[in-house]
Amino acid sequence: MALNRSFLPLATIGLALSCLLAPAAVAQQANPPQGGPPMQQPPAAAVSDQEIETFVAAATEVRNLNKQWTPKVQEAAKQGPQAEQQTRAQALREMALAVEKKGMSVDRYQQIFEVARNDREMQRKIVEKMPKDE
C-alpha cells in the first residue's frame, strides 16, 4: 500500500502530460499517414533500466514544473477560461519540453507511465529512483 502512495506523484505527472497529449493524439488519429496502414505503437512492455532512469529524471522535472505552474494556472482561472487555457497550455508545453530535454519522447514517457500503472515491479523501480528530498 505504501508503494501506491509513493506512486501518486507520478500519477499526477502522467495526468498532466496526458492532458497535453490528448489533442495531439486525436489529431493524429483523425489524419492517419497516407500511403500505408495506420501506424501502431510499439509494445511498451520492455522498459530498460536506462529508460527508467530517464523517466525518473523527466518525471522529477515535470513534478517541479507542475509545482511552479499550478498557482499560475489558478490565478489565470480567475481571469477567465481563455486565460486559464492559455496558461495551462504553456505549462504543458514546458513539461513536454522538459521530458524531451531529458532524452525521452513524450510518447515513450506516456508508454512507460502506462506500464508502471499496472506493473508493481516497475512502480518499485521508479519509486526507488525518485528523489527522496522533495
Side-chain angles (χ1 to χ4, degrees), residues 56-113:
V56 168
T60 301
E61 288 296 316
V62 169
R63 182 173 53 188
N64 292 337
L65 285 167
N66 191 41
K67 287 178 186 178
Q68 292 172 15
W69 278 99
T70 297
K72 294 175 185 179
V73 171
Q74 291 171 343
E75 190 60 35
K78 295 176 185 175
Q79 298 171 13
Q82 184 175 6
E84 178 184 8
Q85 180 68 21
Q86 288 174 340
T87 305
R88 186 179 308 274
Q90 184 178 354
L92 292 173
R93 279 191 300 272
E94 281 194 29
M95 289 178 194
L97 185 59
V99 169
E100 291 170 353
K101 281 185 177 180
K102 291 297 179 182
M104 180 172 282
S105 73
V106 175
D107 286 341
R108 186 61 178 156
Y109 179 95
Q110 279 298 114
Q111 288 172 348
I112 293 171
F113 175 78

Side-chain angles (χ1 to χ4, degrees), residues 45-64:
V47 179
S48 70
D49 287 342
Q50 179 59 44
E51 284 183 308
I52 291 173
E53 293 280 344
T54 304
F55 177 87
V56 168
T60 301
E61 288 296 316
V62 169
R63 182 173 53 188
N64 292 337

Side-chain angles (χ1 to χ4, degrees), residues 2 4-5 21 24 27 41-42 46-47 74 97 101 103 105 116 129 133:
N4 286 338
R5 278 190 227 129
L21 294 177
Q41 290 186 354
V47 179
Q74 291 171 343
L97 185 59
K101 281 185 177 180
S105 73
K129 295 179 185 299
D133 56 355

